[in-house]
Amino acid sequence: MALDELKSAVPDFAKDLKLNLGSVIGNSDLPQQQLWGTVLACAIASRSPKVLRELEPEAKANLSAEAYTAAKSAAAVMAMNNVFYRTRHLLSDPEYGTLRAGLRMNVIGNPGVEKVDFELWSLAVSAINGCGQCLDSHEQVLRKAGVDRETIQEAVKVASVIQAVGVTLDAEAVLAEQ
């Protein structure tokens, strides 16, 4: 199992990450599609080759072809949106907020899976990418759709642990090259 291999790659000084990885993925209360779509989208967003290589096969095995593609689409469109909307939010000139975005993001309207699942994956990727405006937007859509805070927090926990594991493993790989 790739999850076990990933956990075993986490160094001893980051034991908490190893334990959390097993817990947020291995013992998640999220339905399988929501969990593994979140895992895949976050593995992509983490930008860690090792994390993506280890988690992608298991995600693919646990997702329908449509959900697999939609999770990758969530990571892709949020990579764009998180930069754009975070920048607009951070610029001190409020006029940028009134300008038309002019960016295609059709997949958000028709992701090929349940809208709630796609929104959850988008929220998790936005957590990794640090876009407060996107986080608020996706959280509001999820809450209006009846998703509870615990489910939203569960996706954010998955995102935070995957990101931390990626950062740690990539740093260790660089240090091992010295």
Side-chain angles (χ1 to χ4, degrees), residues 51-68:
V51 167
L52 183 56
R53 268 194 303 274
E54 295 299 330
L55 293 177
E56 184 274 340
E58 200 162 347
K60 192 171 192 175
N62 282 285
L63 292 169
S64 67
E66 295 81 11
Y68 178 80

Side-chain angles (χ1 to χ4, degrees), residues 1 4 22-24 40 58 104 133 135 142 145-146 151 169 178:
M1 175 198 251
D4 289 334
S23 143
V24 300
L40 179 58
E58 200 162 347
R104 299 220 180 249
Q133 190 171 359
L135 282 166
L142 288 164
T151 298
L169 294 179
Q178 295 180 357

Side-chain angles (χ1 to χ4, degrees), residues 84-161:
F84 181 80
Y85 287 104
R86 182 179 63 237
T87 300
R88 240 172 46 163
H89 175 74
L90 292 173
L91 289 169
S92 61
D93 184 347
E95 288 298 313
Y96 287 102
T98 67
L99 300 176
R100 183 177 166 276
L103 297 172
R104 299 220 180 249
M105 45 190 106
N106 295 328
V107 71
I108 293 173
N110 186 18
V113 294
E114 292 292 323
K115 182 95 166 124
V116 164
D117 293 351
F118 191 83
E119 289 288 334
L120 192 67
W121 304 335
S122 296
L123 177 128
V125 170
S126 296
I128 289 173
N129 291 333
C131 181
Q133 190 171 359
C134 292
L135 282 166
D136 282 343
S137 175
H138 295 291
E139 189 267 349
Q140 289 170 13
V141 170
L142 288 164
R143 295 291 292 143
K144 284 180 186 164
V147 176
D148 59 34
R149 287 179 179 87
E150 291 78 12
T151 298
I152 293 168
Q153 180 170 290
E154 193 69 24
V156 173
K157 286 169 39 178
V158 170
S160 66
V161 172

